[in-house]
């Protein structure tokens, strides 16, 4: 079975542009979470979606938005890019939130560079 | 608010030596705690987790961690390090209720180097 897949793997944008990052969860997983990992830091939670509904949101500006589709894949959108948005964006999936037996699986991430 | 502190930014150990990576958390109730490993260019892989019960938790790749409530710590240990263990290690606590695991707060990580 395929793991969590993210596309693209690398992306270069300029300030002010918009970007869309994509994530396909493991088959059977209905929960997707997004994290931002700035170089030298731990991942920081952005969003969690479950069954197409937003379940949690981190401390990020409204320039960041996300959605989950009926097939449970997800998109993360960032508008008006800033240099500080340069980071590795990680997607993680699990069958469902709220269960202590669940395990979170991470993709390899999308490396976004804003010039 | 919950927080996680990993005091050591970079640790170097000799192959075959023992390892302990430190993690301290700040959380009012019983925490859900995790250790993840990240190799260069890779995503995060779960090593082990603690939800309740036995305070000594066994994980993959020969790692274990001990939850000490009195010290607010969840240190990761391995008795004998292999060169392939060189990576960055992250401690995390669950922000959501019921161990939702989708909303994790991570420490800044400890980079492990292994010398021959």
């Amino acid at each position: 079975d395929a793991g969590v897949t993210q596309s693209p793997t690398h992306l270069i944008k300029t300030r002010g542009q918009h970007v869309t990052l994509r994530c396909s969860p493991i088959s059977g997983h209905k929960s997707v979470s997004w994290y931002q990992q700035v170089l030298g830091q731990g991942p920081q939670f952005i969003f969690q979606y479950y069954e197409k509904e937003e379940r949690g949101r981190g401390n990020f500006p409204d320039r960041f938005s996300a959605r989950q589709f009926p097939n449970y894949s997800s998109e993360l959108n960032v508008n008006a890019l800033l240099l500080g948005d340069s980071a590795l964006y990680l997607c993680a999936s699990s069958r469902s939130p709220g269960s202590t037996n669940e395990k979170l699986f991470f993709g390899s991430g999308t490396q976004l560079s804003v010039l | 608010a919950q927080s996680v502190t990993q005091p050591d930014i970079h640790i170097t150990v000799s192959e075959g030596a023992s390892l302990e990576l430190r993690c301290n958390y700040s959380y009012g109730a019983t925490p859900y705690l995790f250790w993840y490993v990240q190799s260069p260019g890779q995503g995060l892989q779960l090593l082990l987790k603690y939800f309740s019960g036995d305070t000594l938790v066994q994980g993959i790749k020969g790692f274990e961690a001990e939850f000490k409530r009195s010290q607010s710590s969840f240190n990761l240990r391995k008795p004998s390090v292999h060169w392939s263990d060189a990576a960055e290690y992250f401690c995390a606590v669950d922000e959501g209720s019921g161990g939702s695991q989708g909303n994790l707060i991570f420490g800044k990580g400890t980079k492990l180097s292994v010398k021959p």
Side-chain angles (χ1 to χ4, degrees):
Chain A
D1 286 341
V4 178
T5 57
Q6 294 186 241
S7 63
T9 55
H10 294 83
L11 200 53
I12 299 175
K13 292 285 189 178
T14 57
R15 282 178 296 174
Q17 285 189 312
H18 163 271
V19 68
T20 298
L21 310 181
R22 295 178 175 82
C23 172
S24 293
I26 291 172
S27 178
H29 286 194
K30 298 181 178 181
S31 176
V32 169
S33 296
W34 287 95
Y35 288 82
Q36 180 195 65
Q37 186 177 16
V38 174
L39 188 64
Q41 301 290 319
Q44 188 174 359
F45 173 73
I46 310 175
F47 287 108
Q48 183 185 22
Y49 276 78
Y50 175 61
E51 292 278 16
K52 296 173 288 180
E53 297 289 328
E54 182 182 300
R55 189 176 172 95
R57 172 187 287 254
N59 187 24
F60 278 81
D62 292 343
R63 299 185 296 108
F64 288 76
S65 64
R67 55 180 176 169
Q68 187 177 32
F69 298 99
N71 66 353
Y72 304 110
S73 67
S74 178
E75 283 183 355
L76 175 69
N77 295 283
V78 186
N79 292 323
L81 285 167
L82 302 174
L83 295 179
D85 295 330
S86 296
L88 180 67
Y89 288 84
L90 295 166
C91 174
S93 76
S94 64
R95 292 184 192 275
S96 66
S99 169
T100 58
N101 292 322
E102 284 300 324
K103 181 178 174 180
L104 203 61
F105 291 83
F106 282 83
S108 297
T110 294
Q111 183 65 54
L112 171 65
S113 298
V114 182
L115 305 179
Chain B
Q2 299 184 52
S3 66
V4 175
T5 302
Q6 294 180 248
D8 304 306
I9 296 174
H10 191 186
I11 285 181
T12 300
V13 299
S14 298
E15 190 168 17
S18 64
L19 171 70
E20 183 169 25
L21 301 182
R22 296 184 290 164
C23 172
N24 293 98
Y25 65 89
S26 171
Y27 185 53
T30 300
Y32 298 92
L33 295 160
F34 307 82
W35 273 100
Y36 284 85
V37 62
Q38 186 178 36
S39 297
Q42 300 295 314
L44 296 158
Q45 182 183 21
L46 179 67
L47 288 174
L48 47 79
K49 60 185 180 183
Y50 171 78
F51 285 155
S52 64
D54 193 349
T55 57
L56 185 62
V57 181
Q58 300 298 320
I60 63 171
K61 303 184 179 186
F63 286 93
E64 66 178 26
E66 186 171 12
F67 170 61
K68 292 185 177 180
R69 183 186 300 276
S70 61
Q71 298 177 19
S72 297
S73 69
F74 188 57
N75 293 349
L76 182 71
R77 301 193 296 247
K78 186 170 184 177
S80 178
V81 169
H82 187 262
W83 64 267
S84 61
D85 293 324
E88 189 144 24
Y89 292 79
F90 292 95
C91 181
V93 63
D94 196 290
E95 171 76 355
S97 59
S100 67
Q101 298 190 62
N103 180 353
L104 297 175
I105 296 175
F106 286 87
K108 293 185 177 182
T110 297
K111 183 177 181 180
L112 173 65
S113 297
V114 180
K115 58 183 180 181

